[in-house]
Amino acid sequence: MVVRVPATSANLGPGFDTLGLALNLYNTFSVTPARLSSIHIAGEGEDRPKLRIDNVFVKIFNEVLEFYEYPRGHYKFSFHNDIPISRGLGSSSAVIIGAIVSAYHIMQKPLDTNEILNLALCYENHPDNITPALCGGFNIAMLESNKQPTKNTRKDSIFGSQKTRVVSMKTPISSDIKAVVVVPNTTISTKFSRRTLPKKYSTKDAVFNLSHACMLSAAFLKGDYKLLREASGDRFHQDVRMKALPILFAIQKLALENNALLSTLSGSGSSFLNICYADESKNLVELMQKSFPKFRVFELEFDNMGATLLES
């Protein structure tokens, strides 16, 4: 069984912990019944022995099987990772969604989007990455009080006492636009960067972000992408986080001076997401590669499928 999960970019400027989209850059997870369990990693993270000793995918996969009281067995786990780790492109969300979806396929259990997102929420308490990783496309996601009891309420389970649930909406993204993603060789810790954010915001700044997040969502929902530039302004988190790696301001400036429709920090960074019309993407890629030769630059389409079973 092989499951593929896309990279994601969250926040998109003003949509802090709320908006996200999927990119056609993938982690692929292969799970095969075996006599003895083993883990093989290729691509991103293959040089990190810890990922084979204490593997998050395997941990979550086994916990989901245990939650549904499915007999645990031995498996050969083979991972091919193309999503850069700790760069704001949803590598951890890809692992979480990949593990849960793989467990569902092993159990031959029908995929229930809401159910899977709520299980994923136990490992990632912000829905802006897990939602596009599962669903693909552009997503609006929010958390609501969970008034429905979990189907399996065993007290010894991590899933037994969820206080919130995910409510989300997806729309596909047109092939008229592409992403140009710049990936610095420096990481920015999500946990650390959250500590640097203000504890309070003024009403003026809150209204600014609210109005811009609404307009950004409408632009994606209607496919009116020319609105993205104005709508992607932010006063909540971007500038504070970008100060940890000031060269990010130069990336944004270069993108906006060369017809980018949107140029925002991807998640908490350090990657930068630039969106432009498809016929202008190659020019922007060349400019970024020339100006920032030490950084990786990806020219990507958007993924509208989300987590996908490639073979079984």
Side-chain angles (χ1 to χ4, degrees):
M1 180 202 66
V2 181
V3 169
R4 185 182 72 181
V5 184
T8 53
S9 184
N11 298 327
L12 308 181
F16 188 60
D17 285 351
T18 301
L19 305 181
L21 52 77
L23 301 159
N24 73 334
L25 184 68
Y26 303 97
N27 282 1
T28 304
F29 309 98
S30 172
V31 183
T32 308
R35 188 170 61 87
L36 295 173
S37 295
S38 61
I39 298 172
H40 304 269
I41 300 173
E44 298 284 334
E46 65 181 10
D47 58 344
R48 301 187 185 188
K50 184 180 178 182
L51 295 182
R52 285 187 288 274
I53 297 169
D54 182 21
N55 189 272
V56 174
F57 180 101
V58 175
K59 175 178 176 287
I60 296 172
F61 177 86
N62 286 328
E63 286 178 349
V64 174
L65 295 186
E66 183 179 355
F67 176 64
Y68 286 110
E69 300 180 340
Y70 187 86
R72 286 178 58 171
H74 291 289
Y75 298 94
K76 175 184 177 182
F77 298 96
S78 297
F79 308 136
H80 186 93
N81 302 328
D82 288 332
I83 305 174
I85 296 172
S86 299
R87 295 297 196 282
L89 291 170
S91 61
S92 60
S93 291
V95 169
I96 293 166
I97 292 297
I100 297 173
V101 170
S102 295
Y104 269 55
H105 284 306
I106 283 289
M107 295 184 291
Q108 297 184 355
K109 180 177 173 60
L111 299 184
D112 182 314
T113 297
N114 291 331
E115 193 173 88
I116 292 172
L117 286 175
N118 291 328
L119 292 180
L121 199 61
C122 296
Y123 300 99
E124 170 55 71
N125 59 355
H126 306 292
D128 48 347
N129 278 120
I130 57 174
T131 308
L134 177 63
C135 304
F138 167 80
N139 289 254
I140 307 165
M142 64 182 187
L143 298 181
E144 284 290 307
S145 296
N146 188 14
K147 298 178 182 179
Q148 298 297 322
T150 308
K151 291 182 180 180
N152 186 331
T153 57
R154 290 164 47 209
K155 293 182 180 180
D156 61 341
S157 171
I158 186 176
F159 309 116
S161 59
Q162 289 172 270
K163 296 181 180 179
T164 56
R165 62 185 178 90
V166 180
V167 179
S168 64
M169 177 181 291
K170 167 200 170 178
T171 192
I173 302 174
S174 169
S175 59
D176 291 343
I177 57 174
K178 281 188 176 182
V180 176
V181 180
V182 181
V183 183
N185 47 22
T186 302
T187 65
I188 292 180
S189 164
T190 301
K191 189 174 182 180
F192 173 78
S193 71
R194 279 187 179 270
R195 291 177 187 161
T196 66
L197 299 180
K199 298 295 184 286
K200 295 181 179 180
Y201 297 95
S202 68
T203 300
K204 185 177 180 180
D205 286 346
V207 171
F208 179 94
N209 265 56
L210 179 62
S211 62
H212 282 68
C214 289
M215 188 61 70
L216 188 72
S217 299
F220 275 106
L221 291 170
K222 292 190 67 177
D224 193 354
Y225 301 120
K226 66 180 180 292
L227 292 173
L228 293 180
R229 181 163 180 151
E230 287 182 290
S232 56
D234 165 75
R235 292 183 182 174
F236 272 14
H237 68 104
Q238 280 203 134
D239 284 357
V240 174
R241 284 171 157 167
M242 288 164 65
K243 287 176 182 176
L245 192 61
I247 199 170
L248 296 177
F249 290 100
I251 293 173
Q252 186 180 53
K253 183 174 185 291
L254 181 64
L256 294 176
E257 287 176 348
N258 288 275
N259 301 322
L261 297 166
L262 171 150
S263 183
T264 64
L265 193 64
S266 184
S268 62
S270 58
S271 295
F272 227 81
L273 171 71
N274 306 289
I275 295 178
C276 58
Y277 286 116
D279 59 359
E280 296 179 340
S281 62
K282 291 193 183 303
N283 178 58
L284 188 55
V285 167
E286 290 174 2
L287 285 170
M288 289 295 177
Q289 288 176 332
K290 182 179 179 180
S291 301
F292 309 100
K294 294 183 180 180
F295 297 168
R296 285 184 284 176
V297 181
F298 294 94
E299 180 185 16
L300 301 171
E301 295 180 351
F302 296 96
D303 175 279
N304 287 314
M305 299 295 294
T308 304
L309 179 65
L310 297 182
E311 56 183 90
S312 61

